[in-house]
């Protein structure tokens, strides 16, 4: 199992949208995907229409629960979910005095590794212990960059955190890449942010950009990834293209 942390400390970057829809697009290609929601806001969990989950991931992080007890199937074939719950709001505090708190998720995920090709971890908009724990558990980090605003400032801080995690917790942590999200090609600004991203990170920036698409914003209310909600939409197209590009970066393209 390859574990990908979807991280960017800025809220509204497209983390949850990317975690959910990339998971669904990879599942369409036959991959068995585990989405792990470590955001107390539980947006990925509610996107899949999953409710009344008990403590979910909180049990695994704070109370010695196992991933297999916490996980639920989703209505999307090939995608299982370790849900977040309101309990997670207390997790940063509960973990603050816990020895090795940042490596708990990594240890918990290990026994689940046989059942999945990959895990996508959706993280909160902070660089606290939940996000650092996701980076410590990950093989690679995927960074959504919102093209609406000048989101590039936050990127340097995130990359410093990735470097610190590599140095202290997880030396094999790689950068899968940056993906521009919410790109509105009708505005100069949207295009400029993508160009700037490509200039600064020519190797790492995905060729695929995720366009601003209303279907992506609507889909959570219907409890479906965009590939199911409107499979012909620009949003579905873009996340399928991203899935293909991710697989080709891993050298497993046409498989
Ligand atoms: N490509 C897109 N097109 C339209 N709306 C989007 C797109 N990506 C994200 N959004 C919307 O932007 C908001 C923030 O996205 P989200 O994925 O929740 O960000 P994060 O998880 O980083 O906070 C949500 O309301 C979401 O519906
Ligand atoms: Mg989110």
């Amino acid at each position: 199992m390859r574990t990908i942390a979807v991280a960017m400390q800025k809220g509204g970057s497209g983390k949850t949208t990317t975690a959910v829809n990339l998971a669904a697009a990879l599942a369409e290609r036959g991959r068995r995907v585990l989405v792990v929601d470590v955001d107390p806001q539980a947006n990925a969990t509610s996107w899949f229409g999953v409710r009344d989950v008990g403590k979910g991931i909180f049990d695994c992080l704070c109370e010695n629960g196992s991933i297999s007890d916490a996980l639920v199937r989703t209505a999307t074939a090939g995608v299982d979910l370790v849900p977040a719950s309101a309990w997670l709001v207390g997790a940063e505090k509960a973990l603050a005095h816990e020895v090795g708190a940042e490596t708990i998720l990594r240890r918990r995920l290990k026994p689940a590794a046989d059942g999945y090709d990959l895990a996508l971890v959706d993280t909160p908009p902070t660089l606290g212990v939940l996000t650092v724990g996701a980076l410590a558990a990950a093989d690679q980090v995927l960074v959504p960059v919102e093209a609406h605003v000048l989101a590039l400032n936050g990127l340097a801080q995130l990359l410093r955190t990735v470097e610190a995690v590599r140095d202290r917790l997880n030396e094999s942590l790689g950068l899968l890449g940056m993906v521009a999200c919410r790109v509105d090609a009708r505005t100069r600004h949207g295009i400029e942010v993508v160009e700037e991203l490509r200039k600064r990170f020519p190797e790492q920036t995905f060729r695929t950009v995720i366009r601003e698409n209303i279907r992506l914003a609507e889909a959570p209310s219907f409890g479906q990834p965009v590939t199911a909600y409107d499979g012909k939409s620009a949003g579905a197209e873009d996340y399928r293209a991203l899935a293909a590009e991710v697989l080709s970066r891993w050298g497993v393209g046409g498989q």
Side-chain angles (χ1 to χ4, degrees):
M1 181 173 79
R2 212 184 287 248
T3 301
I4 310 302
V6 183
M8 178 62 163
Q9 71 279 15
K10 208 189 143 296
S13 306
K15 289 182 288 297
T16 301
T17 306
T18 296
V20 168
N21 296 294
L22 179 59
L26 286 164
E28 269 188 354
R29 292 177 155 250
R31 298 317 191 272
R32 299 163 306 161
V33 187
L34 182 64
V35 173
V36 183
D37 190 354
V38 300
D39 182 357
Q41 292 175 52
N43 292 335
T45 300
S46 53
W47 191 321
F48 282 110
V50 172
R51 273 174 212 91
D52 302 325
V53 292
K55 293 182 184 176
I57 188 77
F58 179 87
D59 216 17
C60 306
L61 295 175
C62 303
E63 296 183 348
N64 282 321
S66 72
I67 291 283
S68 60
D69 286 340
L71 75 79
V72 294
R73 297 211 181 288
T74 72
T76 304
V79 181
D80 288 350
L81 170 74
V82 182
S85 69
W87 281 86
L88 210 52
V89 175
E92 297 266 351
K93 216 170 178 181
L95 292 171
H97 302 289
E98 203 60 47
V99 176
E102 286 150 336
T103 57
I104 295 174
L105 182 63
R106 175 163 72 202
R107 270 175 283 128
R108 291 290 178 271
L109 280 175
K110 263 195 192 126
D114 284 345
Y116 300 92
D117 298 306
L118 71 145
L120 278 165
V121 187
D122 188 25
T123 64
T126 61
L127 291 173
V129 66
L130 293 169
T131 298
V132 171
L135 294 172
D139 299 295
Q140 290 180 304
V141 53
L142 173 62
V143 185
V145 176
E146 194 203 339
H148 258 178
V149 291
L150 204 61
L152 294 175
N153 302 336
L155 199 49
Q157 195 190 355
L158 175 70
L159 295 176
R160 278 196 299 276
T161 302
V162 167
E163 199 49 55
V165 169
R166 202 179 275 143
D167 190 40
R168 298 165 204 166
L169 290 166
N170 179 10
E171 65 181 30
S172 60
L173 177 62
L175 181 64
L176 177 57
M178 287 84 167
V179 57
C181 290
R182 309 201 65 175
V183 175
D184 185 349
R186 292 165 307 181
T187 66
R188 255 183 74 79
H189 182 68
I191 296 164
E192 274 168 11
V193 173
V194 176
E195 281 173 354
E196 182 63 25
L197 192 62
R198 291 211 168 111
K199 203 162 87 196
R200 284 202 217 173
F201 305 99
E203 300 287 303
Q204 297 95 334
T205 304
F206 280 95
R207 270 181 282 117
T208 304
V209 301
I210 308 298
R211 289 166 283 179
E212 179 77 19
N213 179 243
I214 185 72
R215 297 308 213 191
L216 284 166
E218 290 168 356
S221 309
F222 295 86
Q224 293 178 323
V226 74
T227 43
Y229 172 61
D230 184 350
K232 293 199 166 67
S233 61
E237 236 171 61
D238 291 346
Y239 277 105
R240 286 191 184 113
L242 183 62
E245 207 180 339
V246 164
L247 293 175
S248 84
R249 281 196 184 192
W250 288 338
V252 291
Q255 283 174 32

